[in-house]
Amino acid sequence: MSDLALVSPPLPTSPCLTGEALKLGIMASGSGSNFEAVAAAIAAGQLNAQIQVLIYNNPQAKAAERAQNHGVPAVLLNHRDFDSREALDAQVAETLQAYGVEWVIMAGWMRIVTPTLIDAFPGRMINIHPSLLPSFKGIRAIEQALASQVKLTGCTVHIVTLEMDSGPILMQAAVPILEGDDAERLHQRIQVQEHRILPAAIALAAQRYG
Ligand code: GRF
């Protein structure tokens, strides 16, 4: 089976680069490899977008370093400095708006988001999740898949709605679980697919709902 056959809908062969560049805000808590994939797709002319700002909540997040390398402003909003999820989300929304963001990409934002943020960008928030939703919602999706003994898992890019990991699905890629896989090894292979589908799914969302 070719790699392409694992992605649904298929990745576009020629990117749609007409019109104004999408103004993206990316939210990340960790390594930021998905941030990098979006930045690389933009640089390669595969995605007509501009990353206005990265918001990160964890001072150690490597994503911040990646943003600096790409000349993208990186704003730390440490959840420990806020009294509630809503207070954090209000500041996230305000920051995204201040940077002129139109589409919000949750690329490994390891916090539950509240209506305070979701309602500020209705239908314009996108999340990437490391399972074939609706299976294995929530945290430790890869461990959940391994424990369930399914033979196929993957990743999903979807629109964020009030119910966690449940919004309209934009794109999915399937990844087989191989003999001897542990969470780290499986995550590495899932991430290869995440990096392919996230930029394509952003373009698809803008085309479909923009
Ligand atoms: C990704 O695997 C994503 O599915 C999950 O968090 C991870 C973030 O990875 N929600 P990275 O920080 O983009 O490398």
Side-chain angles (χ1 to χ4, degrees):
M1 197 190 313
S2 87
D3 261 3
L4 274 183
L6 296 172
V7 175
S8 184
L11 295 173
T13 43
S14 56
C16 173
L17 297 175
T18 53
E20 279 204 20
L22 305 171
K23 295 188 172 119
L24 308 180
I26 299 191
M27 300 165 62
S29 304
S31 101
S33 68
N34 281 286
F35 171 95
E36 195 73 50
V38 173
I42 294 170
Q46 292 158 355
L47 176 64
N48 185 19
Q50 190 173 317
I51 307 174
Q52 307 287 108
V53 64
L54 167 80
I55 295 182
Y56 63 110
N57 67 307
N58 162 15
Q60 266 79 51
K62 197 173 161 219
E65 208 179 296
R66 296 184 193 264
Q68 272 148 24
N69 293 341
H70 286 277
V72 171
V75 177
L76 172 63
L77 296 177
N78 189 335
H79 57 278
R80 293 187 181 86
D81 297 338
F82 294 84
D83 291 338
S84 64
R85 290 188 195 280
E86 287 76 13
L88 169 66
D89 281 359
Q91 192 57 48
V92 171
E94 198 178 297
T95 306
L96 292 167
Q97 281 158 348
Y99 278 90
V101 167
E102 298 164 344
W103 284 89
V104 182
I105 316 301
M106 290 170 57
W109 180 256
M110 306 309 281
R111 312 287 308 163
I112 291 174
V113 289
T114 66
T116 305
L117 175 57
I118 299 170
D119 291 347
F121 293 91
R124 284 180 168 249
M125 288 184 70
I126 290 172
N127 182 44
I128 183 148
H129 182 79
S131 76
L132 289 176
L133 291 172
S135 294
F136 314 127
K137 296 178 181 178
I139 57 164
R140 304 183 76 78
I142 293 166
E143 287 82 353
Q144 290 183 55
L146 284 170
S148 78
Q149 300 189 351
V150 293
K151 300 295 175 208
L152 209 55
T153 185
C155 47
T156 301
V157 183
H158 67 96
I159 300 283
V160 175
T161 54
L162 293 180
E163 201 183 329
M164 189 179 55
D165 298 330
S166 299
I169 290 173
L170 292 162
M171 203 171 265
Q172 293 185 303
V175 175
I177 295 182
L178 304 178
E179 196 71 33
D181 263 352
D182 57 16
E184 196 188 331
R185 206 173 90 164
L186 180 54
H187 193 195
Q188 278 171 8
R189 293 204 315 283
I190 289 174
Q191 284 216 309
V192 172
Q193 299 305 321
E194 290 185 340
H195 301 161
R196 298 174 69 204
I197 69 170
L198 181 57
I202 294 169
L204 187 65
Q207 207 178 60
R208 201 180 275 176
Y209 305 109

